[in-house]
Amino acid sequence: MNHKKQPKSIQALNTIEKLGNKLPHPVTIFILFTFIVIALSHILYLMGVSVSFEGVNNETMERETLTVEAVSLLTPEGIAHMFSSVVGNFTSFVALGPVLVAMLGVGVAEKSGYISALMTNTVSKAPRRFVTPIVVLMGVLSNVAASVGYVVLVPLGAIIFLGFNRHPLAGLSAAFAGVAGGYSANLVIGTNDPLLAGISTEAARILDASYVVNPTDNWFFMLASTFIIVILGTIITDKIVEPKLGKYTSNEDSNSNNTTVTQVEKKGLFWANMSILITIIGIALLVIPENGPLRGENGSIITSPFMSSIIFLMMLIFLIPGIVYGIVTKTVRNDKDIASLMTSSLETMAGFIVLIFFAAQFVAFFNYTNLGTIIAVNGANLLEAIQLNGVFLLLALILITAIINLFIAADSAKWAIMAPVFIPMFMQMGISPEVTQVAYRIGDSATNIIAPLMPFFPLVVAFAQRYGKQNGIGTVISLMLPHSIVFLITWIIFFAIWYLLGIPVGPGTSLNY
């Protein structure tokens, strides 16, 4: 390829990819980061670094001024903690369980031939120009079901693009942009909304004991943001990412150009799709009735066994049609074949499991040392010292959140630290908690896709390596950086216009306190 004819933006991304992929193996990087955290924690501990902020005491459950100090990993207690927590850090890592459970179903659906046949059948019917926006939109909508988008849709995006003779990494980036970059956007209320609203309510009650932030209080803005993310994700994927990648060629995927489905495969698809319909109906019968066993307290769906079991249900939705398709097409003949397909699907995750082991240690040690809290509170103090007002204060919060997000990936943990600082401060300046929460959510979403500490980032790297062993952290960051930058800038402009026009961010809300 003649790089002289490439736009400068693509040349810059190629440079980022090359530099990023010249870094050591991601396992080595996480090991080095872990040693840095260990050394830094001891230095800050010896310096007596600490921060104070308003929060809830976990023992008394009362709000008070909390002081958090840097915790060393090189004291006798710290060393004991490191050695004794290794197994727990790994087994409790948020991305591990959902990925392995989902892959049991996805692997069977993929290796039985069901997904390939479904995508091939789709190739001959779906308009090519709608593929990218559909993938991005599916990513955004998947946030209703927590982490399902990461473990199911991101690899599926690559498969869909490959079925259309397009570069699979472009499909991966489109799906990842929707799932992680559009994390706060959605057409409906998701599991994240009541969680953040609860934290915001507690923070607002520092000044106003009767204040309540409802899960729907950001819905107007997040609904409108969905269309922004889909449009931007489509343009960036089609005009920047895919041209940068060029044409994908692989001997292993040479059959992906086939756009015909045999009669046996069509029969398998019919019965497999029927099994999905029956499965969904069965799940619906457990959820729709007010007294359904998968309903939550007072008939709630948002906080219910249904939402808690969504990963398992997604596994079934892939596993059952995969088995049915295999039986009809003779790729599955007995129970041993099913077990073999499950085993084979998990074998492909071996590299991811190794990577997760070391990533989990780094994240756990980072949290144990309180470095993330210290960074977050100092960032809040810096924003307060700048003494901005109105929309500029909110824009500053977006930028600081975007930076902090690179160090503290868990949005609920991050907001639990930041909300008691920012919401009361902004309320005193006449800004409602609902608007402050929106500003936070923009910054939190935009840099998810370039944050190596985000629990599912190693998984995305592992998926990328399916289409080239040379693909590493640099590859993924170079693919996602255009999305992150454009999402952040456009979202900031959109939010500023929205705020200045005085449009409510949700039903029954006000911009002012």
Side-chain angles (χ1 to χ4, degrees), residues 279-297:
T279 302
I280 293 175
I281 292 174
I283 295 171
L285 292 176
L286 298 175
V287 178
I288 293 177
E290 292 186 4
N291 60 345
L294 294 186
R295 285 278 191 133
E297 188 177 352

Side-chain angles (χ1 to χ4, degrees), residues 376-398:
V377 174
N378 283 326
N381 293 338
L382 173 63
L383 186 56
E384 187 175 13
I386 296 175
Q387 294 184 340
L388 297 174
N389 291 308
V391 68
F392 295 104
L393 188 64
L394 290 165
L395 299 186
L397 172 59
I398 293 174

Side-chain angles (χ1 to χ4, degrees), residues 97-141:
V99 170
L100 297 184
V101 171
M103 283 305 298
L104 289 174
V106 174
V108 171
E110 179 181 1
K111 295 184 179 298
S112 69
Y114 171 63
I115 290 180
S116 176
L118 184 63
M119 292 302 106
T120 301
N121 193 49
T122 304
V123 167
S124 61
K125 297 178 180 179
R128 182 185 179 94
R129 65 182 181 274
F130 291 140
V131 173
T132 306
I134 289 174
V135 169
V136 178
L137 178 61
M138 287 168 59
V140 174
L141 296 180

